[in-house]
Amino acid sequence: MKTYALGLGLASLVAATASADITGAYVYSYSVTAADFDGADVTVNVQDLYLSSNDAADTALNVFNYNAGANAATSYFQSFTGTGWQPTNLGGPFDAPALRLADSFVTIGGFAQDTLLPEQAPGSGAGTGLDPNFGGNGAAAPGPNAGWYNGSPPSLNGQVGAVPEPSGDLIGLGVLVGRFASVEDFSIVCSTFEVTWNQGLGTPGQQAGILYCPAPGALALFGLAAFGRHRRRA
């Protein structure tokens, strides 16, 4: 069994230049009820974190120095057959709706695009690695200055693609970098992190810092959040 309740939190994006850039980040927030491996339903609140872009060639490589906001959860839901924060679906008898839809993970792309709620299908997010600061694959939540990366850059897992809004209209280009799910209410508002990207193998890397911190009440009133951004070359 699986059910959804969906709300959209989008960022107004501040681009420093007209060049090909990762321009910011945005979050899809929703709740989902899905059956876990033992057949019991679990209901969680979910926030999917995306990077946004202005060029289809942009390819995310890593997220680093991630520090959660004050209202983030201290422990996130992991499906019974999930192995931790690195995306893993062993398939066959270990596959379950809760693993596909409600499990918490971090990734650098590698999931289906042009879909509202990408599932953690077998092979999705393959090659994702965790920096030592993350706290390990079994951590309750990402540690201070946490980082994760695409351990197989030739896969181009982090390349951006079209991402639809609930109506089905495209909102632009994006790539999934994390799913955070908890049985409690939480928000990753006022989280900060940095990101590295390029435009494919052999191209120079660029880096930017992102602050996801809308003004109080702005998200509830307008469904919009502003992202501060600074930029430097790798």
Side-chain angles (χ1 to χ4, degrees):
M1 174 183 177
K2 52 189 178 184
T3 59
Y4 310 99
L6 179 66
L8 177 62
L10 287 178
S12 57
L13 304 175
V14 182
T17 72
S19 64
D21 276 331
I22 295 294
T23 54
Y26 59 93
V27 169
Y28 274 114
S29 299
Y30 55 96
S31 63
V32 60
T33 298
D36 210 349
F37 180 72
D38 61 0
D41 282 347
V42 58
T43 299
V44 293
N45 298 308
V46 184
Q47 293 195 330
D48 285 348
L49 177 63
Y50 288 84
L51 302 176
S52 59
S53 167
N54 62 11
D55 191 291
D58 285 340
T59 303
L61 301 175
N62 67 3
V63 170
F64 61 103
N65 288 341
Y66 174 88
N67 288 288
N71 294 318
T74 57
S75 181
Y76 289 94
F77 174 77
Q78 302 281 351
S79 174
F80 185 82
T81 54
T83 61
W85 284 94
Q86 291 169 287
T88 303
N89 183 339
L90 298 175
F94 303 102
D95 202 347
L99 178 61
R100 287 177 173 254
L101 298 166
D103 186 63
S104 298
F105 59 81
V106 292
T107 188
I108 302 294
F111 279 70
Q113 294 177 316
D114 201 13
T115 182
L116 188 60
L117 304 177
E119 296 190 4
Q120 187 177 198
S124 296
T128 300
L130 306 178
D131 289 343
N133 285 345
F134 197 96
N137 199 31
N145 297 317
W148 56 97
Y149 56 91
N150 178 12
S152 179
S155 70
L156 300 181
N157 274 356
Q159 187 167 2
V160 300
V163 181
E165 61 184 358
S167 68
D169 296 329
L170 296 181
I171 60 172
L173 298 171
V175 61
L176 182 69
V177 294
R179 172 167 290 164
F180 300 85
S182 175
V183 297
E184 306 292 340
D185 289 332
F186 75 98
S187 174
I188 60 173
V189 165
C190 292
S191 296
T192 62
F193 59 93
E194 298 182 65
V195 59
T196 306
W197 75 95
N198 63 12
Q199 292 205 302
L201 294 176
T203 61
Q206 301 180 62
Q207 293 181 329
I210 296 174
L211 167 64
Y212 173 36
C213 199
L219 191 61
L221 289 173
F222 304 110
L224 293 174
F227 286 75
R229 181 175 175 277
H230 67 266
R231 180 169 174 263
R232 67 175 183 268
R233 298 284 178 177

